[in-house]
Amino acid sequence: RGAFNGEPYKIWYNAKNEIQCVSNLTPVLVSNIDCKKTFFGGNSKATALVSGLLAKAMYTMQIDGENALKSLVIKTDWCEDDIQKEFTVQNKEKVGVELLALSEQVCDFLKFNKKQRENILERTLFPPSIYIEKEQFICLIEYLSAFYHKEVILGQFEISNLSTISSIYRYFKGEK
């Protein structure tokens, strides 16, 4: 199972749970087989991440899968409620003139109606409290990249960089 996570290699494992493993499912901008930009994320990414980390640990440490998993896991005694608490991004943002301008720019670009624009600075764009198509996100990334003259590197840009107006501002203005 995956969860949104600021730490890309955080793995939780609990053999007692039906779903025993949790890792980062945060979508990352990649180029697909047709050389089109898309996001790779969800449980597919979480599974691939854990599988790759396990294989690497087994190979480099010359140990079996169980011991490799033990070497990677940072939490073993957890339940579903813990996931929600640990992996939920808190959206408490300062509002400044530049953020207000950016929020208008993003809303105009995405053609948000009046209802969608309400409380935009307190809402998350992804996970969607406002439904936005994947293609819209990719067009928005390309637009902001050109506007701010900042190259977006495939495989390093996570959709969480677009989760709030403040996260968009921090990414494209070079602030972390």
Side-chain angles (χ1 to χ4, degrees):
R1 171 180 179 340
F4 289 96
N5 182 353
E7 297 178 46
Y9 305 115
K10 180 187 287 188
I11 298 174
W12 289 7
Y13 177 73
N14 187 340
K16 296 178 267 179
N17 290 352
E18 181 179 348
I19 297 173
Q20 298 176 338
C21 199
V22 178
S23 71
N24 188 357
L25 62 60
T26 307
V28 176
L29 188 65
V30 296
S31 179
N32 69 13
I33 198 163
D34 299 328
C35 296
K36 292 183 180 175
K37 291 179 184 168
T38 188
F39 284 103
F40 175 61
N43 288 332
S44 297
K45 179 189 174 203
T47 302
L49 176 70
V50 171
S51 298
L53 291 173
L54 273 173
K56 183 178 179 182
M58 290 169 63
Y59 178 77
T60 57
M61 292 188 245
Q62 295 296 302
I63 55 177
D64 64 17
E66 186 175 338
N67 286 318
L69 187 59
K70 287 178 185 175
S71 75
L72 296 170
V73 170
I74 63 165
K75 189 167 188 173
T76 57
D77 188 22
W78 53 269
C79 65
E80 189 67 25
D81 288 344
D82 296 329
I83 296 170
Q84 299 307 318
K85 290 176 195 166
E86 178 76 15
F87 293 95
T88 301
V89 178
Q90 298 301 314
N91 183 24
K92 296 181 179 168
E93 313 288 0
K94 284 187 181 177
V95 178
V97 175
E98 289 185 4
L99 284 181
L100 288 171
L102 176 61
S103 71
E104 284 300 313
Q105 189 178 14
V106 169
C107 288
D108 289 346
F109 183 84
L110 294 173
K111 297 178 175 63
F112 280 0
N113 61 36
K114 186 177 180 180
K115 178 93 174 133
Q116 290 171 305
R117 290 171 186 254
E118 289 176 8
N119 303 316
I120 192 71
L121 291 169
E122 291 107 39
R123 297 168 74 184
T124 57
L125 301 172
F126 190 89
S129 61
I130 302 168
Y131 185 72
I132 300 173
E133 294 284 338
K134 179 171 53 173
E135 290 76 22
Q136 285 179 293
F137 270 123
I138 292 168
C139 290
L140 178 61
I141 292 165
E142 291 169 346
Y143 168 76
L144 293 169
S145 176
F147 182 83
Y148 285 105
H149 307 289
K150 178 168 180 157
E151 180 183 9
V152 174
I153 300 170
L154 296 179
Q156 293 181 6
F157 186 89
E158 293 185 347
I159 204 163
S160 59
N161 297 123
L162 293 176
S163 64
T164 65
I165 296 298
S166 289
S167 65
I168 292 170
Y169 180 81
R170 282 190 305 271
Y171 181 84
F172 285 100
K173 292 292 280 188
E175 301 172 16
K176 288 291 173 185

